[in-house]
Amino acid sequence: MRKLVGVLCLLGAMGCSKASPDRVGIDSRPEVAAPPKIAAAFAVSSPAINDPKPVLTATTSPNDKAKVSIAKTALEKEFLLQSIVIQNGDAPSFHGLKSRVVAFRKRAGRLYLLEATQGHTVTNDLPMTLLLAEFPILEESDAAIVFDFNAGMSNIFVGEEWYAQDFSGTRHPTTITSQKVRFSYIESAELNDRNQLMIRQIAQLGGGANSDDSQTVDVRYYLSPYAPSADFEPVRSVNQDVAGFFSVTPQLTLEGNTVIRSSRHDTKVPIVYAVSANTPPEYKQAVKDGILYWNKVFGEERLKVVDAPPGMTAPDINYNIVQWVPYDTAGFAYADAQMDPRSGEILHVQIYLTSAFAYLGKDRMRVSQKRQAISLAGFESSHLCDYADADVDALAPAASVMSRLLASEGGEAKALKAAQDYLRQVTAHEVGHTLGLRHNFAGSLATSYPLAQRKALVDAYVRDGVTPKDVTVSSSVMDYLPFEEDIMFGDQIARHAVALEYDTKAIDILYKKKIYKLDEIPAFCSDSAVGKYVDCQRFDTGASTVEFAQWQVDQALETLPYKLAEYFVRFSKSPPTGVDPVAVEKLGLSAEAYASSLLAGRSGLYDLLTPKAKFLKIRRTYPYINSSNSEDVQKMEAGFVGSEIEKLGGLEKLFSSVPADYSARSFDRFVGLLNSGQYTSGTGPNGLRYEFTVQEVATMKVIARTFFDKLAVALAKADLFVASGANPVQAKGKASKLGFAGSTVASKLSENEFNYKFAAVLEKKLYEYVFAVDEGKDLVVVVEVPGTPANLAKFTGPDSMVGTEAPKELAPAGSAAVPAQLTKKVTITLPRFTFPLDVRVAAAGLLRGDHSESSEWGLYESARAKKKVQDFYAKALEGNPFERFKLEDMPRTVAHWLIENKQVMDTVSAAALSH
């Protein structure tokens, strides 16, 4: 039994110490504890160029800048290995890799690096799956071993530091992901004054097996004696339905289970952030305000801010640096941190804050673009947060606000304040991550104002630069919000002692160990729930998902003239870095692409009518959901959707077509923007001025005129895609014709009384598109109808030509005279339809039977539509002599009209028969 206990102590991840329950599995056992001073374990020397006894390998030379040695007394001892990778790009970026507790072992003339999992003594019994690297031994004495660190680190272990169990599960990982180093060298090695061995490796990483992609990276390794803080109180990660926190990788327990510890700072010492010295003076206070927001959340002075000395830049493993990066076109910010891999204590953090968030005006904003992810395998999702701006189309609302600010009295000062407010919010968001908090995309459900009042709030901010204290834009700064909400909350951070409710209670849970019930804390959802719940979305606003879906459409339609103006400026005068400007006359505008974007938000409205519409707001009111109550939950969700839609004016209003005069009005607004001078000249990126010539402005108006002339039909197509259940953006390009392209990607409507009303909405939409005619533009065709006087009598009007009896001598003997042959000119008038055939056919199929889960849905509406279409054509054809014509004798325009409209009739009939 004594031997069995010893084996369990050897293999178990939590050991057999008498540590407190919270610290079991964290502290090193005495026999593997490293020397307290790094200098007692490692040494660094610079070899002479003419060293008479160099030990050369394929990867080393006598000119290497440093030789690293380990004392033999430090073998089999536990050290903390941390590493940071700096990636090359337009501007360097960085992220920390998974921290590990490691040990060195000599075997058979080689030095090995092992990962020392607690509970596995570093002996011959240590499983080889924990083997990390093999180092050639260059020199050896009785006391120390000089080894080739560069040759050993021929792989970079790309595991992530922050852990999210909803993505990666709760099991202890059994594999290690690495990236192969093609070639590398050691740039420097030193023992620093922070009790660390710091080694800097320059390496070229290769792509996959069949890839030639490569990238040079700067890898910084830090080795220090593993000595977890004795005062740190670990916190176990629990079910994150209430709030979300990052953690460290799961660790095995003695019983074979896992323990997951949340990542957080030590509560007994201040958390100090250093703002980089290159931060522009006009923005430094905004950055500091964003950091100190969290003191309001803690309710005490927990965070401190200092100015980083010149020359101190991120990444720095010993300082929490908020690094300003002069990178106007980046459009992203991110946070990074490294922890004790056993306890979860956050040891240091870095924030990468690009200047793109400091919008001095619409000119900087228009060149913002998304960060390109590193292409090497294993690095794609290394940051816990990439707070990225959207593309140029989504920036139109922000550009609109900034344009209004600049155009107002004192515009430059107002625009600067908006930039500072935005920076406050972004900084606060990233600092929240470095405290251990995850995103909360349900924060907007706490919005205190209906979106109908939003414009007034934004107008007040533009006019006065202030946001009332009692206005709530979200329950959490960890949300992703639209630009306007960001700047309003940034203003509140600067002027009010405001701490959002979710942020406060999440900090209470993580740092003060408070316990909240589900109904005592605002709604929470993080990245893994986006798409699972319709009210868990990025960059949304408002407490009502239904209201937001409609607002998206209204906002997109409202800002279209700004989008077009930004498009011309961006690509003709201020193109992205590395892109040549395009002459104005060569710029094209796709009406269909823009229409899809304008109505994309409406697809969210349709989704609310389908079974996939699951609401976090509703479901969190139930202690559990299973087969016994799932139908009740769905009924409550359907009732909630119905009540929300009725508040906004009903289905007919929400799914109404874009007004017929929208294109004309939008063109006039676009021309007004150009005539006002807001976009015809200005300051581009890097302070460069631009100006459109008079001829270029005239050309822009001509291009826009053509675009808006086509937009009405393009909007009709996008509208019908949505009405058929397809997302107009996703469905674009999936079918060569509009037709029923949406039906292959549509979700069926739920079976409930409210959705039966939607059939009536679609019936009206069918009539709107199928029967819409251009008044006064009828198709008029004059044809000559042949026949006898008797046959032609029913046609009014004079005969165009009267035939004569055929000469009797030409008639066969005994036959009667040939009857007179006449022709009469007859005018045929047919309605000319507003929309092309593909639009009308798509509308004709809206009431098909597969649109809903119910076989009865749309039954009466489709039958009524079929009869109404038949009656319409019967009346249109009444009195016209079509039966007198053979197809080959029929005028082409008339034949074309008949063939097209037969297709429409057949589609309506097929839809009716599908029920």
Side-chain angles (χ1 to χ4, degrees), residues 139 262 290 354 434-435 637 641 718 720 748 762 805 895 902:
E139 302 174 17
S262 295
T354 61
T434 64
L435 294 173
E637 288 173 327
V641 171
L720 289 168
K748 291 187 176 183
L762 296 188
E805 289 185 343
K902 183 178 184 304

Side-chain angles (χ1 to χ4, degrees), residues 785-796 799 822-824 826 884:
V785 182
T788 64
N791 291 336
L792 297 174
K794 62 181 178 179
F795 298 113
T796 59
D799 297 339
L822 305 176
T823 61
K824 180 183 286 287
V826 177
R884 302 286 301 162

Side-chain angles (χ1 to χ4, degrees), residues 723-897:
S724 66
N727 184 303
V729 174
Q730 294 175 345
K732 187 176 65 175
K734 291 189 176 182
S736 58
K737 294 181 179 180
L738 180 60
F740 295 104
S743 64
T744 60
V745 294
S747 297
K748 291 187 176 183
L749 298 166
S750 301
E751 183 177 0
N752 57 57
E753 289 298 324
F754 187 77
N755 280 345
Y756 283 102
K757 297 179 181 179
F758 190 57
V761 173
L762 296 188
E763 181 187 4
K764 181 177 179 181
K765 194 175 291 289
L766 183 154
Y767 300 150
E768 182 178 353
Y769 287 116
V770 168
F771 296 147
V773 298
D774 292 336
E775 298 292 343
K777 297 182 180 180
D778 292 339
L779 173 64
V780 180
V781 180
V782 178
V783 297
E784 291 186 350
V785 182
T788 64
N791 291 336
L792 297 174
K794 62 181 178 179
F795 298 113
T796 59
D799 297 339
S800 59
M801 180 179 69
V802 178
T804 58
E805 289 185 343
K808 291 182 180 181
E809 61 269 19
L810 298 179
S815 65
V818 177
Q821 294 292 315
L822 305 176
T823 61
K824 180 183 286 287
K825 285 186 177 179
V826 177
T827 300
I828 298 175
T829 302
L830 297 171
R832 194 185 299 272
F833 295 97
T834 302
F835 296 101
L837 177 63
D838 56 350
V839 171
R840 298 175 65 234
V841 169
L846 283 176
L847 293 167
R848 62 187 185 275
D850 64 347
H851 206 62
S852 171
E853 291 183 333
S854 171
S855 58
E856 299 173 4
W857 179 91
L859 177 65
Y860 304 112
E861 289 82 1
S862 63
R864 190 161 53 238
K866 177 182 177 181
K867 185 177 186 307
K868 185 166 284 193
V869 170
Q870 290 173 339
D871 292 345
F872 177 87
Y873 290 125
K875 183 176 181 181
L877 301 177
E878 185 179 3
N880 289 314
F882 300 121
E883 71 279 1
R884 302 286 301 162
F885 292 93
K886 295 179 181 179
L887 184 61
E888 60 267 23
D889 297 328
M890 192 177 296
R892 286 185 177 274
T893 52
V894 174
H896 185 74
W897 192 97

Side-chain angles (χ1 to χ4, degrees), residues 285-305:
Q285 188 58 49
V287 173
K288 292 181 178 180
D289 291 344
I291 297 170
L292 296 176
Y293 160 76
W294 290 96
N295 281 337
K296 303 171 187 176
V297 173
F298 275 100
E300 56 184 325
E301 290 285 325
R302 299 304 307 277
L303 282 70
K304 293 185 177 181
V305 181

Side-chain angles (χ1 to χ4, degrees), residues 491-620:
D491 170 63
Q492 290 179 322
I493 291 176
R495 296 190 305 108
H496 303 300
V498 58
L500 299 180
E501 183 182 5
Y502 171 84
D503 297 342
T504 301
K505 292 182 176 179
I507 288 295
D508 285 347
I509 295 170
L510 182 61
Y511 284 88
K512 302 176 183 180
K513 298 185 178 182
K514 288 189 178 181
I515 298 175
Y516 289 97
K517 296 179 181 178
L518 200 59
D519 59 356
E520 293 177 334
I521 190 169
F524 162 76
C525 71
S526 198
D527 301 74
S528 62
V530 173
K532 182 179 179 181
Y533 302 105
V534 296
D535 49 357
C536 180
Q537 299 184 42
R538 300 181 179 97
F539 297 107
D540 62 342
T541 186
S544 168
T545 305
V546 181
E547 185 183 22
F548 174 70
Q550 178 58 28
W551 174 83
Q552 279 185 296
V553 177
D554 293 341
Q555 187 81 345
L557 293 171
E558 173 69 20
T559 58
L560 178 59
Y562 293 98
K563 287 184 182 181
L564 299 189
E566 290 292 334
Y567 171 79
F568 283 111
V569 173
R570 183 182 188 190
F571 290 102
S572 182
K573 298 299 180 181
S574 298
T577 303
V579 178
D580 293 330
V582 180
V584 170
E585 62 271 15
K586 293 183 179 181
L587 290 174
L589 295 171
S590 169
E592 289 200 357
Y594 272 89
S596 297
S597 175
L598 292 172
L599 295 189
R602 190 169 286 181
S603 63
L605 285 172
Y606 180 92
D607 289 343
L608 298 177
L609 308 178
T610 70
K612 70 179 183 181
K614 296 178 174 59
F615 286 84
L616 179 71
K617 179 183 288 188
I618 300 298
R619 292 180 173 247
R620 67 177 278 132

